[in-house]
Amino acid sequence: MLRILYLAHDLADPAVRRRVLGLQAGNASVTLAGFRRGGKSGAAINDVAPIDLGTTEDARFLQRAGAVAKACYRLRQSLKGVERPDLIIARNLEMLAIARRAVAVMGGDVPIVYECLDIHRLLLRSDWLGRVMRAAEAGLGRTARLLVTSSPAFIENYFRPLSGIDAPILLLENKVLELHDDRPSAPQPRCPEAGEPWRIGWFGALRCRKSLDLLSRFSRAMEGQVEVVIRGRPAYAELKDFDTFMRGEPFMTFRGAYRNPEDLAEIYDEVQFCWAIDFYEEGLNSAWLLPNRLYEGCRYGTVPIAISGTETARYIAGRDIGLVLADATVDNLVELFSTIDQEDYLERFARIAGQGTGPWAAGRRDCEALVRRLTQVAGAPRPTRRLRTPAQTTAMEADLND
């Protein structure tokens, strides 16, 4: 059985829980260690009690850097009694630094896998700070045996032209995890009853101020013909007034957090459309990602809404599903929803449902395939790689900007 030390940037992140469950389903033994974000504690995941490395805060880079330094200093004590793993997975850049320290603490040549599912805006700056950050990533990742990411656009726009990471790349989409034989049945269309509104669901990590404001103005403009249902974890560093804001909204409701994947069928069954737009890092990470809510929504038959020029729009256009806005404005949304009737909705629903669950959900066989790939990485001899020089990276930046 493959022994994995999984280093997580946020122990309370539902995506971390999903990854641990998936690795276990693939027949790996997982030890979990990581940070608490904003004081939220990480609960045990399928009997795996996490090792607490300290607390970090959203949108506070220097605080997080200090927490990483402190965790590295204390790591020998933190990992005391932990059996030497066959492989270390570092989720995000800050955990890559801790992974390097863990290898030194545990001795030997433990392979490191770098899992990067978001490209932080500091890595994309064109000034000296951006160059320093990319150099740090390249230095910390020079011994990584595998890079795991979730969107082709991350590879095309960052890892190949800009990043100094020189490792094989595994594309691992953010699919819904379905491990049990009693998985939810195929979704059914849910047209609103006479007099009821269409409902848009915005679920997951809630961090986009522009989306919140846009949905507020749009729902008010529709005067009750469209309602917005919000669920998940608000990022209060970005949405400081979220609770007060929501109390004043006549056509938007916030229904709190939910369990992923246990509650997905229930919450998506309440809506017909899924807000798959994100402006948090507009034009950069937000344009390149394929969000969890895209896969979740399609798995449960909700019609995704995307904005032109993004990887999400390219993805749903390639599958001939969903709605793509030329520009995310109130007028465009009002025009779009003024033309949608039950027949149009049912046709769009049928296009999604007709593709089955395969494009949107990962089962036990997918988990086993992932662990087999990781086992190959753990057993392979350490490759000899040439780290990109600063001059090469600068040249690639110039090519990208031409």
Coordinates of all heavy atoms in Angstrom, one line a residue, residues 249-287:
E249 N -30.9 41.7 0.7 CA -31.3 41.3 -0.6 C -32.6 40.6 -0.7 O -32.9 39.6 -0.1 CB -30.2 40.3 -1.1 CG -28.9 40.9 -1.4 CD -29.0 42.0 -2.4 OE1 -29.5 41.8 -3.5 OE2 -28.5 43.1 -2.1
P250 N -33.5 41.2 -1.6 CA -34.9 40.6 -1.7 C -35.0 39.3 -2.5 O -35.9 38.5 -2.3 CB -35.7 41.7 -2.3 CG -34.7 42.5 -3.1 CD -33.4 42.4 -2.3
F251 N -34.0 39.1 -3.4 CA -34.1 38.0 -4.3 C -32.9 37.1 -4.3 O -32.7 36.3 -5.2 CB -34.4 38.4 -5.7 CG -35.6 39.4 -5.8 CD1 -35.4 40.7 -6.2 CD2 -36.8 39.0 -5.6 CE1 -36.4 41.6 -6.3 CE2 -37.9 39.8 -5.7 CZ -37.7 41.2 -6.0
M252 N -32.1 37.2 -3.2 CA -30.9 36.4 -3.0 C -31.0 35.8 -1.6 O -31.3 36.5 -0.6 CB -29.6 37.1 -3.2 CG -29.4 37.7 -4.6 SD -28.0 38.8 -4.8 CE -26.6 37.7 -4.4
T253 N -30.6 34.5 -1.5 CA -30.6 33.9 -0.1 C -29.3 33.1 0.1 O -28.8 32.5 -0.9 CB -31.8 32.9 0.1 OG1 -31.7 31.9 -1.0 CG2 -33.1 33.6 0.0
F254 N -28.8 33.2 1.3 CA -27.6 32.5 1.7 C -28.0 31.3 2.6 O -28.6 31.6 3.7 CB -26.6 33.4 2.3 CG -25.3 32.6 2.8 CD1 -24.6 31.8 2.0 CD2 -25.0 32.7 4.2 CE1 -23.5 31.1 2.4 CE2 -23.8 32.0 4.6 CZ -23.1 31.2 3.7
R255 N -27.7 30.1 2.2 CA -28.2 29.0 3.0 C -27.0 28.2 3.7 O -27.2 27.0 4.0 CB -29.0 28.0 2.1 CG -30.2 28.8 1.6 CD -31.2 27.9 0.8 NE -32.3 28.6 0.3 CZ -33.2 28.2 -0.6 NH1 -33.1 26.9 -1.0 NH2 -34.1 28.9 -1.1
G256 N -25.9 28.8 3.8 CA -24.8 28.3 4.6 C -23.9 27.2 3.9 O -24.0 27.1 2.7
A257 N -23.1 26.6 4.7 CA -22.2 25.6 4.2 C -22.9 24.3 3.9 O -24.0 24.1 4.3 CB -21.0 25.4 5.2
Y258 N -22.2 23.4 3.2 CA -22.7 22.1 2.9 C -21.6 21.1 2.8 O -20.4 21.4 2.8 CB -23.5 22.1 1.6 CG -22.6 22.6 0.4 CD1 -21.9 21.7 -0.4 CD2 -22.5 23.9 0.1 CE1 -21.2 22.1 -1.5 CE2 -21.7 24.4 -1.0 CZ -21.1 23.4 -1.8 OH -20.3 23.9 -2.8
R259 N -22.0 19.8 2.9 CA -21.0 18.8 2.8 C -20.8 18.3 1.4 O -21.7 18.2 0.6 CB -21.4 17.5 3.6 CG -21.5 17.8 5.1 CD -22.1 16.5 5.8 NE -23.4 16.2 5.2 CZ -24.0 15.0 5.4 NH1 -23.4 14.1 6.0 NH2 -25.2 14.8 4.8
N260 N -19.5 18.2 1.0 CA -19.2 17.8 -0.4 C -18.4 16.5 -0.3 O -17.4 16.4 0.3 CB -18.3 18.9 -1.0 CG -18.0 18.7 -2.4 OD1 -18.0 17.5 -2.9 ND2 -17.6 19.7 -3.1
P261 N -18.9 15.4 -0.9 CA -20.0 15.4 -1.9 C -21.4 15.0 -1.4 O -22.3 14.9 -2.2 CB -19.5 14.3 -2.9 CG -18.8 13.3 -2.0 CD -18.2 14.1 -0.9
E262 N -21.5 14.8 -0.1 CA -22.8 14.2 0.4 C -24.0 15.0 0.1 O -25.1 14.5 -0.1 CB -22.7 14.0 2.0 CG -21.7 12.9 2.4 CD -20.3 13.5 2.5 OE1 -20.0 14.6 2.1 OE2 -19.4 12.8 3.1
D263 N -23.9 16.4 0.2 CA -25.1 17.2 0.0 C -25.3 17.7 -1.4 O -26.3 18.5 -1.6 CB -25.0 18.4 1.0 CG -25.0 18.0 2.4 OD1 -25.5 16.9 2.7 OD2 -24.5 18.8 3.3
L264 N -24.5 17.4 -2.3 CA -24.5 18.0 -3.7 C -25.8 17.8 -4.4 O -26.4 18.7 -5.0 CB -23.4 17.5 -4.5 CG -22.0 17.9 -4.1 CD1 -20.9 17.4 -5.0 CD2 -21.9 19.5 -4.0
A265 N -26.3 16.5 -4.4 CA -27.6 16.2 -5.1 C -28.7 17.1 -4.6 O -29.5 17.6 -5.3 CB -27.9 14.7 -5.0
E266 N -28.8 17.2 -3.2 CA -29.9 18.0 -2.6 C -29.8 19.4 -3.0 O -30.8 20.1 -3.3 CB -29.8 17.8 -1.1 CG -30.9 18.6 -0.4 CD -30.7 18.5 1.1 OE1 -30.0 17.6 1.6 OE2 -31.4 19.2 1.8
I267 N -28.6 20.0 -2.9 CA -28.6 21.5 -3.1 C -28.7 21.9 -4.6 O -29.3 22.9 -4.9 CB -27.3 22.1 -2.5 CG1 -26.0 21.7 -3.2 CG2 -27.1 21.8 -1.0 CD1 -24.8 22.4 -2.8
Y268 N -28.2 21.1 -5.5 CA -28.3 21.4 -6.9 C -29.7 21.1 -7.4 O -30.2 21.7 -8.4 CB -27.3 20.7 -7.7 CG -25.9 21.4 -7.7 CD1 -24.9 20.9 -6.9 CD2 -25.7 22.5 -8.5 CE1 -23.7 21.6 -6.8 CE2 -24.5 23.1 -8.5 CZ -23.5 22.7 -7.6 OH -22.3 23.3 -7.6
D269 N -30.5 20.3 -6.7 CA -31.8 20.0 -7.1 C -32.7 21.2 -6.9 O -33.8 21.2 -7.4 CB -32.3 18.8 -6.3 CG -33.6 18.2 -6.9 OD1 -33.7 18.0 -8.1 OD2 -34.6 18.0 -6.1
E270 N -32.3 22.1 -6.1 CA -33.1 23.3 -5.9 C -33.0 24.4 -6.9 O -33.7 25.4 -6.9 CB -32.7 23.9 -4.5 CG -32.9 23.0 -3.3 CD -32.4 23.7 -2.0 OE1 -31.8 24.8 -2.1 OE2 -32.7 23.1 -1.0
V271 N -32.1 24.2 -7.9 CA -31.8 25.3 -8.9 C -31.8 24.7 -10.3 O -31.6 23.5 -10.4 CB -30.5 26.0 -8.6 CG1 -30.5 26.6 -7.2 CG2 -29.3 25.0 -8.7
Q272 N -32.0 25.6 -11.2 CA -31.9 25.2 -12.6 C -30.6 25.6 -13.3 O -30.2 24.9 -14.3 CB -33.1 25.8 -13.4 CG -34.5 25.3 -13.1 CD -35.1 26.1 -11.9 OE1 -34.7 27.2 -11.7 NE2 -36.0 25.4 -11.2
F273 N -30.0 26.6 -12.8 CA -28.8 27.1 -13.4 C -27.6 27.3 -12.4 O -27.9 27.4 -11.2 CB -29.0 28.5 -14.0 CG -30.1 28.5 -15.1 CD1 -31.5 28.7 -14.7 CD2 -29.8 28.3 -16.4 CE1 -32.5 28.7 -15.7 CE2 -30.8 28.3 -17.4 CZ -32.1 28.4 -17.0
C274 N -26.4 27.2 -12.9 CA -25.2 27.2 -12.0 C -24.3 28.4 -12.5 O -24.0 28.5 -13.6 CB -24.4 25.9 -12.2 SG -22.8 25.9 -11.4
W275 N -24.0 29.3 -11.5 CA -23.1 30.4 -11.8 C -21.7 29.9 -11.8 O -21.1 29.6 -10.7 CB -23.3 31.5 -10.7 CG -22.6 32.8 -11.0 CD1 -21.5 33.2 -10.3 CD2 -23.0 33.8 -11.9 NE1 -21.1 34.4 -10.8 CE2 -22.0 34.8 -11.8 CE3 -24.0 34.0 -12.8 CZ2 -22.1 36.0 -12.5 CZ3 -24.1 35.1 -13.6 CH2 -23.1 36.1 -13.4
A276 N -21.1 29.8 -13.0 CA -19.8 29.2 -13.1 C -18.8 30.3 -13.5 O -17.8 30.1 -14.2 CB -19.7 28.1 -14.1
I277 N -19.1 31.6 -13.1 CA -18.3 32.7 -13.4 C -17.5 33.2 -12.2 O -18.1 33.2 -11.1 CB -19.1 33.9 -14.0 CG1 -19.8 33.5 -15.3 CG2 -18.3 35.2 -14.2 CD1 -20.8 34.5 -15.8
D278 N -16.3 33.6 -12.3 CA -15.5 34.1 -11.2 C -14.6 35.2 -11.7 O -13.9 35.1 -12.8 CB -14.6 32.9 -10.7 CG -13.8 33.3 -9.5 OD1 -12.7 33.9 -9.6 OD2 -14.3 33.1 -8.4
F279 N -14.6 36.3 -11.0 CA -13.8 37.5 -11.3 C -12.7 37.8 -10.3 O -12.1 38.8 -10.3 CB -14.7 38.8 -11.4 CG -15.8 38.7 -12.4 CD1 -17.1 38.4 -12.0 CD2 -15.6 38.8 -13.8 CE1 -18.2 38.4 -12.9 CE2 -16.6 38.8 -14.7 CZ -17.9 38.5 -14.3
Y280 N -12.5 36.8 -9.4 CA -11.6 37.1 -8.2 C -10.2 37.5 -8.7 O -9.7 38.5 -8.2 CB -11.6 35.9 -7.4 CG -10.6 36.0 -6.2 CD1 -10.8 36.9 -5.2 CD2 -9.5 35.2 -6.1 CE1 -10.0 37.0 -4.1 CE2 -8.6 35.3 -5.0 CZ -8.9 36.2 -4.0 OH -8.0 36.3 -3.0
E281 N -9.7 36.8 -9.7 CA -8.5 37.2 -10.3 C -8.7 37.3 -11.8 O -8.2 36.5 -12.6 CB -7.3 36.3 -10.0 CG -7.0 36.3 -8.5 CD -5.9 35.4 -8.1 OE1 -5.5 34.5 -8.8 OE2 -5.3 35.6 -7.0
E282 N -9.5 38.3 -12.2 CA -10.0 38.5 -13.5 C -8.9 38.6 -14.5 O -7.9 39.3 -14.4 CB -10.9 39.7 -13.6 CG -11.8 39.8 -14.8 CD -12.8 41.0 -14.7 OE1 -12.8 41.6 -13.6 OE2 -13.5 41.2 -15.7
G283 N -9.1 37.8 -15.6 CA -8.1 37.8 -16.7 C -6.9 36.9 -16.5 O -6.1 36.7 -17.4
L284 N -6.8 36.4 -15.3 CA -5.7 35.5 -14.9 C -6.2 34.2 -14.5 O -6.8 33.4 -15.2 CB -4.8 36.2 -13.9 CG -4.2 37.6 -14.3 CD1 -3.5 38.2 -13.1 CD2 -3.2 37.4 -15.4
N285 N -6.0 33.9 -13.2 CA -6.5 32.6 -12.7 C -8.0 32.4 -12.9 O -8.4 31.3 -13.3 CB -6.2 32.5 -11.2 CG -6.5 31.2 -10.5 OD1 -5.7 30.3 -10.7 ND2 -7.6 31.1 -9.8
S286 N -8.8 33.4 -12.8 CA -10.2 33.2 -13.0 C -10.6 32.9 -14.4 O -11.6 32.3 -14.6 CB -11.0 34.5 -12.5 OG -10.9 34.7 -11.1
A287 N -9.8 33.4 -15.3 CA -10.0 33.1 -16.7 C -9.6 31.7 -17.1 O -10.1 31.1 -18.1 CB -9.4 34.1 -17.6

